[in-house]
Amino acid sequence: MGNTITEKILMAHTGLKKITPGQLINAKVDIALGNDITAPIAVKEFDKAGGKKVFNKNKIALVLDHFTPNKDINSAQQCKAVREFARKHKITHFYEGGNVGVEHALLPEKGIVLPGDLVIGADSHTCTYGALGAFATGVGSTDLAAAMLTGELWLKVPPSIKFIIYGKLPKWVSGKDLILNIIGRIGVDGALYQAMEFTGETIRKLPMADRFSMANMAIEAGAKNGIFAPDTITREYVKTRAKRDYKFYASDEDASYTDIIEINAAKLEPQVAFPHLPSNTKGISKAGKVKIDQSLIGSCTNGRIEDLRIAAKILKNRKAASHVRLIVVPATPDIYRQAMKEGLLEIFMKADAVISPPSCGACLGGHLGILAEGERAVATTNRNFVGRMGHTKSEVYLASPAVAAASAVLGRIASPAEL
Amino acid sequence: MICKGKVWKFGDNIDTDAIIPARYLTTSDPQALATHCMEDADPDFVARMKAGDIILGGENFGCGSSREHAPISIKAAGVSCVIAKSFARIFYRNSFNMGLPIFESQELFDAIQDGEEIEVDSTAGTITLTSSNKVFKINSIPPFMEELIADGGLMKHIAGKRGKNEKR
């Protein structure tokens, strides 16, 4: 019996010659990640355990991206604690201020995470890096502390579900729509404890930005990781960014899967996840008239330059409806700069958008775009739980950048095809 | 370990934003987090619960974010243990790592009402309904997880192992 790509990467990080789903392993970690919410607890645990030295200062990434620019005194204190730890231990990949970006857009962009890596992050959307053909999973703060100390972490080998996606994506249908559709099909615990492996002819042609959006939301189906076999598109992305060796893994023909799900992408329309679960997905034609108060384009799911280009294409020479607050969040400083060079920021400003600094703030109801009681937002983010973006009686509708941009213009949830 | 208390019943897919909303994550102080425990699922929970009470969830309890603040707030609020049909995986590992007792039972949820009293005996692997003495089995956990609990969480487990290695 062969192995899946997930099993192969895990195996390579244990020194074992054979591993099977369900097995508990101790694996070596290539990159351990924390942010300004999760790292403060990890730092405390690290010090409490008598930690004197991190296992490798080049293999830890600390990114102050959630409540930054510091939203209040408490969040400033949390950032200070992480900053002091980063300085003390001379952490190479420490990002804040003008260098910080949304972690899951920033780390791939900087070539910090690479194909074949084993990445753990005290942030649930760490699974994003599966787009590169890495094993990446979200863990807790204590896990991060343990990994920073020992360079290893306990993991349970997940069984895999294979998704075979075929057919040409229709106009305005993206990786975001694919993953929303998949979560709608299998539910928010449809891949609980499992790996989601994305394959098929549609996937082989899918650009990196779309792959990142898909892997990013694997956790929204309860998955341990989402993963794509790296190929020429991956190589094109990493070759100018990588500063160390990386390795491409692929599943064996006879690897074993708990389920194989086939999806015809040609039949999809843009998707919208209604409140209050990412699995509450409908095709845009069935969305009805849902008036919105805010449209948010950004986040680790959809704040990349490709996302901003799509939004700009729709918003060019148009304006957000007068009752809609349009917020655009370029995910990293490089994306911000590129959007500036290409004139995208000018288009957004002419459309009456607010351009936010790179931050996770609005997505998780932290700051920079909170909803009041009774308000509705369409967002290119990944969660629409009760109170996610503000008041418990506010609502979040998840969609692609194309739908978020079109909805901003029309003042209700809408397809770009309506413009 | 024995946990005895009143059951607070919640539904399926109780997410970490409901357990501890992100707006309170500007601190990691357990007592501060405890005052907002379960706030967006039941705003009166903290005011009405008593130390030792038990949270009972349906499927996929603790889904969403990786925030360890979720099990921290539950433990600091005085909840003795959490039982659910199933747990989201990061919440599951966080609970073991930081020492919040959690148990899986498929049957209990549909068999009892909100507010009933139960006794959980982790050694025997049973949950007993006080009013009727009806007994439910707890799903067993891997030996490694038992080791984690016995050691008092992940960091102590690691410290123990490192100590042993250094002596060699």
mmCIF file of all heavy atoms in Angstrom, chain A residues 80-123:
data_model
loop_
_atom_site.group_PDB
_atom_site.id
_atom_site.type_symbol
_atom_site.label_atom_id
_atom_site.label_comp_id
_atom_site.label_asym_id
_atom_site.label_seq_id
_atom_site.Cartn_x
_atom_site.Cartn_y
_atom_site.Cartn_z
ATOM 1 N N LYS A 80 4.354 43.827 23.074
ATOM 2 C CA LYS A 80 5.624 44.115 23.746
ATOM 3 C C LYS A 80 6.251 42.828 24.283
ATOM 4 O O LYS A 80 7.463 42.606 24.147
ATOM 5 C CB LYS A 80 5.361 45.108 24.889
ATOM 6 C CG LYS A 80 6.619 45.660 25.516
ATOM 7 C CD LYS A 80 6.257 46.664 26.602
ATOM 8 C CE LYS A 80 7.481 47.036 27.412
ATOM 9 N NZ LYS A 80 7.118 47.666 28.675
ATOM 10 N N ALA A 81 5.425 41.982 24.862
ATOM 11 C CA ALA A 81 5.932 40.711 25.417
ATOM 12 C C ALA A 81 6.547 39.844 24.325
ATOM 13 O O ALA A 81 7.610 39.245 24.511
ATOM 14 C CB ALA A 81 4.797 39.967 26.117
ATOM 15 N N VAL A 82 5.897 39.788 23.170
ATOM 16 C CA VAL A 82 6.401 38.968 22.059
ATOM 17 C C VAL A 82 7.680 39.599 21.488
ATOM 18 O O VAL A 82 8.654 38.903 21.188
ATOM 19 C CB VAL A 82 5.342 38.798 20.946
ATOM 20 C CG1 VAL A 82 5.866 37.894 19.839
ATOM 21 C CG2 VAL A 82 4.045 38.231 21.514
ATOM 22 N N ARG A 83 7.670 40.925 21.352
ATOM 23 C CA ARG A 83 8.843 41.646 20.827
ATOM 24 C C ARG A 83 10.082 41.395 21.708
ATOM 25 O O ARG A 83 11.170 41.122 21.207
ATOM 26 C CB ARG A 83 8.536 43.146 20.772
ATOM 27 C CG ARG A 83 9.646 44.005 20.167
ATOM 28 C CD ARG A 83 9.271 45.488 20.200
ATOM 29 N NE ARG A 83 7.979 45.738 19.577
ATOM 30 C CZ ARG A 83 6.910 46.211 20.229
ATOM 31 N NH1 ARG A 83 6.974 46.480 21.524
ATOM 32 N NH2 ARG A 83 5.781 46.412 19.579
ATOM 33 N N GLU A 84 9.873 41.475 23.025
ATOM 34 C CA GLU A 84 11.000 41.266 23.944
ATOM 35 C C GLU A 84 11.555 39.843 23.822
ATOM 36 O O GLU A 84 12.766 39.643 23.827
ATOM 37 C CB GLU A 84 10.568 41.571 25.387
ATOM 38 C CG GLU A 84 10.491 43.075 25.634
ATOM 39 C CD GLU A 84 9.843 43.450 26.959
ATOM 40 O OE1 GLU A 84 9.365 42.547 27.683
ATOM 41 O OE2 GLU A 84 9.812 44.660 27.259
ATOM 42 N N PHE A 85 10.645 38.879 23.663
ATOM 43 C CA PHE A 85 11.061 37.486 23.481
ATOM 44 C C PHE A 85 11.842 37.342 22.175
ATOM 45 O O PHE A 85 12.909 36.721 22.124
ATOM 46 C CB PHE A 85 9.829 36.576 23.470
ATOM 47 C CG PHE A 85 10.132 35.116 23.282
ATOM 48 C CD1 PHE A 85 10.418 34.308 24.377
ATOM 49 C CD2 PHE A 85 10.127 34.535 22.012
ATOM 50 C CE1 PHE A 85 10.700 32.951 24.213
ATOM 51 C CE2 PHE A 85 10.410 33.189 21.833
ATOM 52 C CZ PHE A 85 10.695 32.397 22.940
ATOM 53 N N ALA A 86 11.325 37.959 21.110
ATOM 54 C CA ALA A 86 11.969 37.869 19.792
ATOM 55 C C ALA A 86 13.367 38.465 19.819
ATOM 56 O O ALA A 86 14.300 37.911 19.229
ATOM 57 C CB ALA A 86 11.103 38.572 18.749
ATOM 58 N N ARG A 87 13.507 39.575 20.532
ATOM 59 C CA ARG A 87 14.831 40.223 20.617
ATOM 60 C C ARG A 87 15.799 39.388 21.451
ATOM 61 O O ARG A 87 16.941 39.171 21.059
ATOM 62 C CB ARG A 87 14.687 41.619 21.228
ATOM 63 C CG ARG A 87 14.131 42.599 20.217
ATOM 64 C CD ARG A 87 14.217 44.017 20.704
ATOM 65 N NE ARG A 87 13.580 44.908 19.726
ATOM 66 C CZ ARG A 87 12.925 46.006 20.036
ATOM 67 N NH1 ARG A 87 12.829 46.387 21.295
ATOM 68 N NH2 ARG A 87 12.388 46.741 19.089
ATOM 69 N N LYS A 88 15.292 38.917 22.576
ATOM 70 C CA LYS A 88 16.122 38.125 23.489
ATOM 71 C C LYS A 88 16.669 36.890 22.784
ATOM 72 O O LYS A 88 17.832 36.529 22.939
ATOM 73 C CB LYS A 88 15.292 37.727 24.709
ATOM 74 C CG LYS A 88 16.047 36.907 25.739
ATOM 75 C CD LYS A 88 15.160 36.608 26.950
ATOM 76 C CE LYS A 88 15.780 35.547 27.832
ATOM 77 N NZ LYS A 88 14.820 35.040 28.818
ATOM 78 N N HIS A 89 15.831 36.249 22.001
ATOM 79 C CA HIS A 89 16.234 34.995 21.355
ATOM 80 C C HIS A 89 16.691 35.204 19.904
ATOM 81 O O HIS A 89 16.875 34.238 19.174
ATOM 82 C CB HIS A 89 15.089 33.975 21.434
ATOM 83 C CG HIS A 89 14.788 33.550 22.835
ATOM 84 N ND1 HIS A 89 15.539 32.616 23.510
ATOM 85 C CD2 HIS A 89 13.842 33.979 23.722
ATOM 86 C CE1 HIS A 89 15.050 32.466 24.738
ATOM 87 N NE2 HIS A 89 14.030 33.281 24.891
ATOM 88 N N LYS A 90 16.812 36.489 19.510
ATOM 89 C CA LYS A 90 17.297 36.852 18.167
ATOM 90 C C LYS A 90 16.544 36.107 17.055
ATOM 91 O O LYS A 90 17.148 35.559 16.110
ATOM 92 C CB LYS A 90 18.813 36.583 18.063
ATOM 93 C CG LYS A 90 19.634 37.375 19.073
ATOM 94 C CD LYS A 90 21.135 37.216 18.797
ATOM 95 C CE LYS A 90 21.986 38.175 19.585
ATOM 96 N NZ LYS A 90 21.810 38.077 21.065
ATOM 97 N N ILE A 91 15.213 36.087 17.179
ATOM 98 C CA ILE A 91 14.361 35.410 16.198
ATOM 99 C C ILE A 91 14.516 36.090 14.831
ATOM 100 O O ILE A 91 14.307 37.301 14.706
ATOM 101 C CB ILE A 91 12.876 35.448 16.650
ATOM 102 C CG1 ILE A 91 12.706 34.809 18.032
ATOM 103 C CG2 ILE A 91 11.956 34.821 15.609
ATOM 104 C CD1 ILE A 91 13.062 33.355 18.140
ATOM 105 N N THR A 92 14.890 35.327 13.821
ATOM 106 C CA THR A 92 15.133 35.881 12.485
ATOM 107 C C THR A 92 13.846 36.424 11.854
ATOM 108 O O THR A 92 13.824 37.530 11.322
ATOM 109 C CB THR A 92 15.706 34.787 11.554
ATOM 110 O OG1 THR A 92 16.722 34.091 12.265
ATOM 111 C CG2 THR A 92 16.269 35.381 10.282
ATOM 112 N N HIS A 93 12.794 35.607 11.918
ATOM 113 C CA HIS A 93 11.551 35.983 11.228
ATOM 114 C C HIS A 93 10.578 36.646 12.191
ATOM 115 O O HIS A 93 9.561 36.081 12.566
ATOM 116 C CB HIS A 93 10.914 34.760 10.582
ATOM 117 C CG HIS A 93 11.846 33.983 9.711
ATOM 118 N ND1 HIS A 93 12.456 34.542 8.605
ATOM 119 C CD2 HIS A 93 12.288 32.707 9.775
ATOM 120 C CE1 HIS A 93 13.232 33.640 8.038
ATOM 121 N NE2 HIS A 93 13.159 32.524 8.731
ATOM 122 N N PHE A 94 10.937 37.850 12.618
ATOM 123 C CA PHE A 94 10.054 38.623 13.495
ATOM 124 C C PHE A 94 9.530 39.809 12.696
ATOM 125 O O PHE A 94 10.298 40.567 12.112
ATOM 126 C CB PHE A 94 10.827 39.107 14.728
ATOM 127 C CG PHE A 94 10.036 40.067 15.578
ATOM 128 C CD1 PHE A 94 8.873 39.646 16.224
ATOM 129 C CD2 PHE A 94 10.429 41.394 15.714
ATOM 130 C CE1 PHE A 94 8.123 40.530 16.991
ATOM 131 C CE2 PHE A 94 9.678 42.283 16.483
ATOM 132 C CZ PHE A 94 8.532 41.847 17.117
ATOM 133 N N TYR A 95 8.205 39.943 12.638
ATOM 134 C CA TYR A 95 7.610 40.981 11.800
ATOM 135 C C TYR A 95 6.652 41.855 12.595
ATOM 136 O O TYR A 95 5.764 41.351 13.290
ATOM 137 C CB TYR A 95 6.859 40.349 10.623
ATOM 138 C CG TYR A 95 7.799 39.690 9.635
ATOM 139 C CD1 TYR A 95 8.095 38.339 9.738
ATOM 140 C CD2 TYR A 95 8.399 40.428 8.617
ATOM 141 C CE1 TYR A 95 8.975 37.738 8.845
ATOM 142 C CE2 TYR A 95 9.273 39.841 7.719
ATOM 143 C CZ TYR A 95 9.561 38.497 7.837
ATOM 144 O OH TYR A 95 10.426 37.903 6.958
ATOM 145 N N GLU A 96 6.830 43.162 12.460
ATOM 146 C CA GLU A 96 5.896 44.116 13.053
ATOM 147 C C GLU A 96 6.013 45.443 12.322
ATOM 148 O O GLU A 96 6.860 45.609 11.450
ATOM 149 C CB GLU A 96 6.175 44.284 14.542
ATOM 150 C CG GLU A 96 7.482 44.975 14.860
ATOM 151 C CD GLU A 96 7.536 45.487 16.296
ATOM 152 O OE1 GLU A 96 6.469 45.676 16.909
ATOM 153 O OE2 GLU A 96 8.638 45.723 16.797
ATOM 154 N N GLY A 97 5.160 46.388 12.695
ATOM 155 C CA GLY A 97 5.211 47.728 12.120
ATOM 156 C C GLY A 97 5.064 47.712 10.614
ATOM 157 O O GLY A 97 4.198 47.039 10.074
ATOM 158 N N GLY A 98 5.967 48.418 9.929
ATOM 159 C CA GLY A 98 5.885 48.540 8.475
ATOM 160 C C GLY A 98 6.277 47.291 7.714
ATOM 161 O O GLY A 98 6.124 47.226 6.496
ATOM 162 N N ASN A 99 6.771 46.280 8.446
ATOM 163 C CA ASN A 99 7.150 45.034 7.769
ATOM 164 C C ASN A 99 6.102 43.948 7.903
ATOM 165 O O ASN A 99 6.218 42.894 7.296
ATOM 166 C CB ASN A 99 8.458 44.488 8.371
ATOM 167 C CG ASN A 99 9.606 45.431 8.108
ATOM 168 O OD1 ASN A 99 9.763 45.910 6.984
ATOM 169 N ND2 ASN A 99 10.367 45.734 9.127
ATOM 170 N N VAL A 100 5.115 44.193 8.758
ATOM 171 C CA VAL A 100 4.185 43.104 9.056
ATOM 172 C C VAL A 100 3.104 42.975 7.987
ATOM 173 O O VAL A 100 2.679 43.952 7.384
ATOM 174 C CB VAL A 100 3.551 43.275 10.456
ATOM 175 C CG1 VAL A 100 2.354 44.220 10.424
ATOM 176 C CG2 VAL A 100 3.151 41.920 11.018
ATOM 177 N N GLY A 101 2.732 41.733 7.748
ATOM 178 C CA GLY A 101 1.608 41.433 6.880
ATOM 179 C C GLY A 101 0.810 40.337 7.546
ATOM 180 O O GLY A 101 1.242 39.766 8.547
ATOM 181 N N VAL A 102 -0.349 40.044 7.001
ATOM 182 C CA VAL A 102 -1.165 38.941 7.511
ATOM 183 C C VAL A 102 -0.335 37.665 7.348
ATOM 184 O O VAL A 102 0.099 37.336 6.245
ATOM 185 C CB VAL A 102 -2.494 38.873 6.737
ATOM 186 C CG1 VAL A 102 -3.294 37.650 7.121
ATOM 187 C CG2 VAL A 102 -3.299 40.150 6.963
ATOM 188 N N GLU A 103 -0.101 36.980 8.457
ATOM 189 C CA GLU A 103 0.912 35.914 8.522
ATOM 190 C C GLU A 103 0.850 34.901 7.375
ATOM 191 O O GLU A 103 1.873 34.536 6.814
ATOM 192 C CB GLU A 103 0.823 35.192 9.875
ATOM 193 C CG GLU A 103 -0.599 34.734 10.220
ATOM 194 C CD GLU A 103 -0.812 34.445 11.704
ATOM 195 O OE1 GLU A 103 0.130 34.572 12.493
ATOM 196 O OE2 GLU A 103 -1.939 34.094 12.078
ATOM 197 N N HIS A 104 -0.357 34.456 7.032
ATOM 198 C CA HIS A 104 -0.448 33.378 6.039
ATOM 199 C C HIS A 104 -0.289 33.869 4.601
ATOM 200 O O HIS A 104 -0.174 33.083 3.680
ATOM 201 C CB HIS A 104 -1.753 32.611 6.213
ATOM 202 C CG HIS A 104 -1.929 32.150 7.625
ATOM 203 N ND1 HIS A 104 -0.938 31.462 8.298
ATOM 204 C CD2 HIS A 104 -2.935 32.315 8.515
ATOM 205 C CE1 HIS A 104 -1.346 31.222 9.533
ATOM 206 N NE2 HIS A 104 -2.548 31.734 9.688
ATOM 207 N N ALA A 105 -0.289 35.185 4.413
ATOM 208 C CA ALA A 105 0.094 35.744 3.114
ATOM 209 C C ALA A 105 1.588 36.061 3.143
ATOM 210 O O ALA A 105 2.302 35.886 2.152
ATOM 211 C CB ALA A 105 -0.713 36.998 2.817
ATOM 212 N N LEU A 106 2.054 36.498 4.305
ATOM 213 C CA LEU A 106 3.442 36.953 4.457
ATOM 214 C C LEU A 106 4.476 35.822 4.365
ATOM 215 O O LEU A 106 5.474 35.944 3.660
ATOM 216 C CB LEU A 106 3.580 37.666 5.812
ATOM 217 C CG LEU A 106 4.918 38.348 6.083
ATOM 218 C CD1 LEU A 106 5.058 39.608 5.232
ATOM 219 C CD2 LEU A 106 5.061 38.712 7.566
ATOM 220 N N LEU A 107 4.243 34.731 5.087
ATOM 221 C CA LEU A 107 5.256 33.671 5.157
ATOM 222 C C LEU A 107 5.547 33.016 3.803
ATOM 223 O O LEU A 107 6.716 32.831 3.454
ATOM 224 C CB LEU A 107 4.890 32.628 6.225
ATOM 225 C CG LEU A 107 5.553 32.847 7.597
ATOM 226 C CD1 LEU A 107 5.314 34.244 8.136
ATOM 227 C CD2 LEU A 107 5.094 31.813 8.604
ATOM 228 N N PRO A 108 4.529 32.684 3.003
ATOM 229 C CA PRO A 108 4.827 32.151 1.668
ATOM 230 C C PRO A 108 5.514 33.200 0.788
ATOM 231 O O PRO A 108 6.463 32.900 0.070
ATOM 232 C CB PRO A 108 3.454 31.802 1.097
ATOM 233 C CG PRO A 108 2.561 31.656 2.279
ATOM 234 C CD PRO A 108 3.080 32.630 3.294
ATOM 235 N N GLU A 109 5.039 34.456 0.865
ATOM 236 C CA GLU A 109 5.592 35.528 0.049
ATOM 237 C C GLU A 109 7.086 35.722 0.313
ATOM 238 O O GLU A 109 7.870 35.962 -0.605
ATOM 239 C CB GLU A 109 4.820 36.820 0.397
ATOM 240 C CG GLU A 109 5.258 38.065 -0.325
ATOM 241 C CD GLU A 109 4.546 39.290 0.235
ATOM 242 O OE1 GLU A 109 3.364 39.503 -0.118
ATOM 243 O OE2 GLU A 109 5.151 40.010 1.050
ATOM 244 N N LYS A 110 7.489 35.578 1.575
ATOM 245 C CA LYS A 110 8.893 35.765 1.944
ATOM 246 C C LYS A 110 9.714 34.490 1.752
ATOM 247 O O LYS A 110 10.912 34.476 2.064
ATOM 248 C CB LYS A 110 9.004 36.201 3.416
ATOM 249 C CG LYS A 110 8.362 37.546 3.708
ATOM 250 C CD LYS A 110 9.261 38.670 3.247
ATOM 251 C CE LYS A 110 8.620 40.030 3.469
ATOM 252 N NZ LYS A 110 9.122 41.050 2.548
ATOM 253 N N GLY A 111 9.072 33.411 1.325
ATOM 254 C CA GLY A 111 9.805 32.153 1.135
ATOM 255 C C GLY A 111 10.196 31.492 2.446
ATOM 256 O O GLY A 111 11.104 30.663 2.487
ATOM 257 N N ILE A 112 9.490 31.856 3.528
ATOM 258 C CA ILE A 112 9.814 31.280 4.849
ATOM 259 C C ILE A 112 9.262 29.864 4.956
ATOM 260 O O ILE A 112 9.879 29.000 5.564
ATOM 261 C CB ILE A 112 9.290 32.202 5.981
ATOM 262 C CG1 ILE A 112 10.033 33.536 5.931
ATOM 263 C CG2 ILE A 112 9.434 31.529 7.353
ATOM 264 C CD1 ILE A 112 9.425 34.625 6.784
ATOM 265 N N VAL A 113 8.098 29.619 4.364
ATOM 266 C CA VAL A 113 7.540 28.262 4.303
ATOM 267 C C VAL A 113 7.653 27.762 2.859
ATOM 268 O O VAL A 113 7.427 28.518 1.913
ATOM 269 C CB VAL A 113 6.075 28.212 4.783
ATOM 270 C CG1 VAL A 113 6.006 28.447 6.286
ATOM 271 C CG2 VAL A 113 5.207 29.226 4.060
ATOM 272 N N LEU A 114 8.034 26.501 2.713
ATOM 273 C CA LEU A 114 8.343 25.958 1.388
ATOM 274 C C LEU A 114 7.758 24.556 1.210
ATOM 275 O O LEU A 114 7.396 23.896 2.192
ATOM 276 C CB LEU A 114 9.865 25.916 1.207
ATOM 277 C CG LEU A 114 10.581 27.271 1.133
ATOM 278 C CD1 LEU A 114 12.087 27.098 1.260
ATOM 279 C CD2 LEU A 114 10.243 28.012 -0.157
ATOM 280 N N PRO A 115 7.699 24.088 -0.038
ATOM 281 C CA PRO A 115 7.180 22.740 -0.307
ATOM 282 C C PRO A 115 7.942 21.683 0.501
ATOM 283 O O PRO A 115 9.161 21.772 0.646
ATOM 284 C CB PRO A 115 7.434 22.561 -1.801
ATOM 285 C CG PRO A 115 7.427 23.941 -2.360
ATOM 286 C CD PRO A 115 8.041 24.799 -1.295
ATOM 287 N N GLY A 116 7.208 20.711 1.014
ATOM 288 C CA GLY A 116 7.818 19.614 1.751
ATOM 289 C C GLY A 116 8.048 19.902 3.223
ATOM 290 O O GLY A 116 8.422 19.006 3.984
ATOM 291 N N ASP A 117 7.819 21.159 3.645
ATOM 292 C CA ASP A 117 8.030 21.542 5.045
ATOM 293 C C ASP A 117 6.978 20.926 5.956
ATOM 294 O O ASP A 117 5.862 20.614 5.520
ATOM 295 C CB ASP A 117 7.918 23.072 5.199
ATOM 296 C CG ASP A 117 9.194 23.794 4.818
ATOM 297 O OD1 ASP A 117 10.177 23.115 4.459
ATOM 298 O OD2 ASP A 117 9.197 25.046 4.865
ATOM 299 N N LEU A 118 7.322 20.833 7.229
ATOM 300 C CA LEU A 118 6.339 20.569 8.259
ATOM 301 C C LEU A 118 6.226 21.844 9.085
ATOM 302 O O LEU A 118 7.194 22.265 9.724
ATOM 303 C CB LEU A 118 6.747 19.376 9.133
ATOM 304 C CG LEU A 118 5.632 18.848 10.057
ATOM 305 C CD1 LEU A 118 5.833 17.366 10.337
ATOM 306 C CD2 LEU A 118 5.532 19.621 11.358
ATOM 307 N N VAL A 119 5.066 22.486 8.990
ATOM 308 C CA VAL A 119 4.864 23.778 9.637
ATOM 309 C C VAL A 119 3.759 23.649 10.682
ATOM 310 O O VAL A 119 2.688 23.121 10.388
ATOM 311 C CB VAL A 119 4.438 24.859 8.605
ATOM 312 C CG1 VAL A 119 4.363 26.224 9.264
ATOM 313 C CG2 VAL A 119 5.387 24.888 7.410
ATOM 314 N N ILE A 120 4.040 24.130 11.887
ATOM 315 C CA ILE A 120 2.971 24.223 12.874
ATOM 316 C C ILE A 120 2.832 25.689 13.254
ATOM 317 O O ILE A 120 3.823 26.431 13.312
ATOM 318 C CB ILE A 120 3.219 23.336 14.120
ATOM 319 C CG1 ILE A 120 4.479 23.768 14.882
ATOM 320 C CG2 ILE A 120 3.297 21.848 13.748
ATOM 321 C CD1 ILE A 120 4.208 24.544 16.131
ATOM 322 N N GLY A 121 1.609 26.112 13.471
ATOM 323 C CA GLY A 121 1.393 27.504 13.820
ATOM 324 C C GLY A 121 0.288 27.634 14.836
ATOM 325 O O GLY A 121 -0.728 26.952 14.739
ATOM 326 N N ALA A 122 0.511 28.510 15.818
ATOM 327 C CA ALA A 122 -0.544 28.784 16.785
ATOM 328 C C ALA A 122 -1.497 29.772 16.139
ATOM 329 O O ALA A 122 -1.593 30.948 16.504
ATOM 330 C CB ALA A 122 0.040 29.318 18.078
ATOM 331 N N ASP A 123 -2.143 29.297 15.112
ATOM 332 C CA ASP A 123 -3.193 30.017 14.394
ATOM 333 C C ASP A 123 -3.858 28.983 13.505
ATOM 334 O O ASP A 123 -3.174 28.262 12.772
ATOM 335 C CB ASP A 123 -2.628 31.156 13.545
ATOM 336 C CG ASP A 123 -3.756 31.994 12.951
ATOM 337 O OD1 ASP A 123 -4.374 31.544 11.964
ATOM 338 O OD2 ASP A 123 -4.042 33.071 13.491
#
